[in-house]
Amino acid sequence: MSHLVVIGAGIVGLNCALSAQRRGWRVTLIDRDFEGDRASHGNAGGLAVSECVPLSLAGLGLRPLRWLVDPLGPLAIRPAHAPRLLPWYRALRKISQKGNFARIGDALAALNQHALDPFMAMLAELGLSGDLHRNGALSVYETDGAFLRDQPSWQFRRERGVRWREVGREELHALEPGLAPVFARAIMIEDWAHIDDPRRIVDRLRHYLAGHGARLVTGEATALVMAEDGGAGARLADGTVVRGDRVLVAAGAWAARLARTVGDVALLESERGYNTTLPHSAHRLSREVLFAEAMFVATPLSVGLRIGGAAEFAGLQAPANYRRSDALLALSRRYITSLDERDNHKWMGHRPATPDSLPVIGRSPHSPRVLYAFGHGHLGLTQSAITGELIGDLLDDRPTAIDLSPYGIDRFRRGGAHQAARPVPAPANHGRTRDAAIRQQEPAARTGSTP
Ligand SMILES: Cc1cc2nc3c(=O)[nH]c(=O)nc-3n(C[C@H](O)[C@H](O)[C@H](O)COP(=O)(O)OP(=O)(O)OC[C@H]3O[C@@H](n4cnc5c(N)ncnc54)[C@H](O)[C@@H]3O)c2cc1C
């Protein structure tokens, strides 16, 4: 029986392990702390299958500068981290160049279109089908101006198969009576879904895997190991080597340093997000709501109403600044009526973010024994099960359901993410093309108002 070693027991690593186990692989999971906190525990719980608009800062005018000097704005960079962020930031700036943007949107849409079915199959296998709520999400706007400014990005999504429709004030009130009557316009995103509790799925999945024979090894992986006899695995901080036939790096925001130990380079940052969960307010909403101008989301989980978002670049070590959770909660008081804030719980998590918004899924160019599944950014829960399927196909040496070339780790070597470091001439009719219009529109949707 072939043996897969998986580093990282977040939602991505666990789904890959499940897929491998289903295909007859023996699985060993390594994590530094199986019970400990991680992005996969505290996220917003959205199956955000409509989100194919890449993260970008283009077209925001001076707003990012204002945010950067506001430590509680939707986007923040801690000054001490700024020099380390530079290569990632340079690559991010190239994403909105003509051609890149649409290509990345296509690659995100390809994953998302395949995301829901395997996710539902995973829930069914765990006996958690009832945890999924397929009643869409609402993106709400206070002003006509903001709504109109966002139209090109909605069009961008529609061109990639996303179903959405406009909702009037009366219907909005009927759908979500807990929202304050301050919204001029809304969009219903039909295929969006949400789950009851991200942590419950992670815990159930881990127990399920262990119950079906997976070995759980607690330890910090410090390097990937390639054995001369054809095996592969990981070296742990205490010197132990965990060996299998293949090794998969699914270590979330920590993955790049492991890839580097076999010579692979990935631009990966922790895009820290914050939220507050209000256990006594879960029923104020019945579906996830995206507050477009204020750039945060609220999801009615079984564990409470979870309110959060934001993007903070401060690296993996800096302590959390929970005033950001407070700031988002304060904003939400204007928009959601009668919030009961007793026993609330604040949280921060590390989104594993690449500059081109695409995950890294595939084999190492250095060795087919090393596989990668990390960098899912805002969409790790959404894309976890399809990532597992794709990794399973690679393990079986079968053709994958979608072309994996956009997600390869070698894209960072080829001149940054999606030719990010290669100069691309500015479009001749800058500011008038549809692409330019999209660039004007999309960032607000991907700096904070998505999960
Ligand atoms: C505020 C917020 C809201 C979000 N909302 C959503 C949402 O609604 N929908 C959605 O799809 N996504 C959402 N996300 C994104 C999603 O949570 C992440 O993309 C996803 O959880 C990443 O999963 P992962 O398994 O790759 O990483 P993680 O969950 O971070 O797991 C990585 C694991 O690897 C382990 N590890 C790391 N390095 C090592 C090492 N060297 N040795 C041993 N173990 C190691 C860690 O201990 C950890 O358990 C949100 C994120 C945040 C922060």
Side-chain angles (χ1 to χ4, degrees):
M1 187 188 256
S2 302
H3 180 191
L4 174 68
V5 175
V6 178
I7 306 171
I11 192 68
V12 173
L14 292 171
N15 267 286
C16 294
L18 178 68
S19 171
Q21 215 174 50
R22 281 184 191 138
R23 293 160 198 256
W25 284 66
R26 185 154 68 87
V27 171
T28 297
L29 276 162
I30 300 173
D31 202 290
R32 59 165 83 97
D33 181 1
F34 284 97
E35 303 288 336
D37 193 30
R38 64 205 69 197
S40 302
H41 282 176
N43 62 54
L47 272 292
V49 291
S50 67
E51 284 316 306
C52 55
V53 181
L55 176 76
S56 162
L57 293 177
L60 281 174
L62 294 178
R63 274 195 290 166
L65 288 179
R66 280 208 305 273
W67 295 337
L68 288 180
V69 293
D70 171 5
L72 302 181
L75 172 70
I77 300 175
R78 291 215 195 155
H81 188 62
R84 297 194 62 184
L85 188 62
L86 215 54
W88 190 98
Y89 177 72
R90 281 205 198 99
L92 173 71
R93 286 193 49 175
K94 303 287 158 86
I95 295 315
S96 40
Q97 287 179 343
K98 199 169 165 61
N100 283 345
F101 201 77
R103 190 167 60 242
I104 296 168
D106 291 344
L108 281 171
L111 274 177
N112 290 343
Q113 278 156 11
H114 289 80
L116 211 48
D117 285 348
F119 196 89
M120 289 194 304
M122 179 263 295
L123 288 182
E125 194 165 344
L126 300 181
L128 292 177
S129 294
D131 279 25
L132 183 71
H133 305 281
R134 300 185 67 184
N135 56 349
L138 282 162
S139 183
V140 293
Y141 292 84
E142 278 187 273
T143 62
D144 288 340
F147 180 82
L148 292 174
R149 270 200 307 278
D150 265 5
Q151 285 314 297
S153 70
W154 287 110
Q155 193 54 34
F156 184 87
R157 291 182 179 93
R158 181 165 276 163
E159 284 163 8
R160 285 160 183 80
V162 174
R163 295 189 308 143
W164 58 265
R165 67 182 172 84
E166 229 186 296
V167 165
R169 275 175 190 263
E170 275 182 25
E171 188 184 352
L172 178 62
H173 180 68
L175 287 169
E176 296 297 344
L179 287 177
V182 296
F183 298 105
R185 315 285 279 262
I187 282 179
M188 167 65 83
I189 313 160
E190 316 270 6
D191 295 324
W192 195 295
H194 70 272
I195 53 167
D196 272 342
D197 177 8
R199 178 163 190 158
R200 176 156 68 191
I201 296 177
V202 170
D203 287 344
R204 184 73 72 93
L205 196 41
R206 188 178 66 249
H207 290 305
Y208 182 90
L209 288 163
H212 286 75
R215 181 175 157 234
L216 270 51
V217 176
T218 302
E220 173 92 24
T222 54
L224 305 181
V225 170
M226 237 90 76
E228 283 184 4
D229 63 2
R235 183 182 309 282
L236 306 187
D238 66 3
T240 318
V241 172
V242 180
R243 274 206 44 178
D245 300 300
R246 303 263 195 287
V247 61
L248 171 75
V249 180
W254 295 265
R257 56 183 69 164
L258 287 168
R260 217 175 298 133
T261 66
V262 289
D264 285 326
V265 174
L267 287 174
L268 187 72
E269 271 293 326
S270 157
E271 185 189 335
R272 297 149 58 119
Y274 288 83
N275 58 40
T276 306
T277 306
L278 309 182
H280 305 293
S281 290
H283 301 298
R284 298 306 299 145
L285 300 175
S286 57
R287 53 177 61 69
E288 188 162 356
V289 176
L290 289 65
F291 298 87
E293 287 112 320
M295 297 189 184
F296 70 97
V297 304
T299 321
L301 306 175
S302 61
V303 288
L305 187 65
R306 185 160 288 168
I307 294 166
E312 180 190 55
F313 293 91
L316 290 162
Q317 304 298 340
N321 173 8
Y322 289 114
R323 289 195 303 142
R324 299 186 68 83
S325 305
D326 294 337
L328 292 169
L329 181 59
L331 268 176
S332 71
R333 292 184 195 120
R334 171 173 162 70
Y335 299 124
I336 309 170
T337 59
S338 309
L339 284 177
D340 181 341
E341 298 179 20
R342 283 174 303 140
D343 307 322
N344 72 55
H345 172 71
K346 290 171 200 166
W347 179 82
M348 184 275 287
H350 297 280
R351 299 183 190 95
T354 62
D356 62 4
S357 300
L358 293 175
V360 177
I361 305 173
R363 295 189 182 98
S364 163
H366 288 98
S367 167
R369 287 180 268 159
V370 176
L371 297 109
Y372 296 120
F374 63 86
H376 295 72
H378 290 238
L379 296 172
L381 173 70
T382 307
Q383 296 171 347
S384 57
I386 177 61
T387 299
E389 287 298 304
L390 295 166
I391 291 294
D393 287 341
L394 290 180
L395 290 172
D396 281 354
D397 290 323
R398 285 219 200 111
T400 49
I402 56 177
D403 170 22
L404 288 187
S405 54
Y407 320 102
I409 199 165
D410 56 338
R411 71 188 191 265
F412 301 101
R413 277 247 189 258
R414 279 189 268 123
H418 286 266
Q419 295 81 42
R422 196 190 325 145
V424 178
N429 55 350
H430 178 77
R432 291 198 302 276
T433 60
R434 187 180 60 77
D435 277 348
I438 288 165
R439 289 200 304 275
Q440 294 290 321
Q441 302 302 327
E442 58 78 21
R446 287 306 310 275
T447 49
S449 68
T450 54

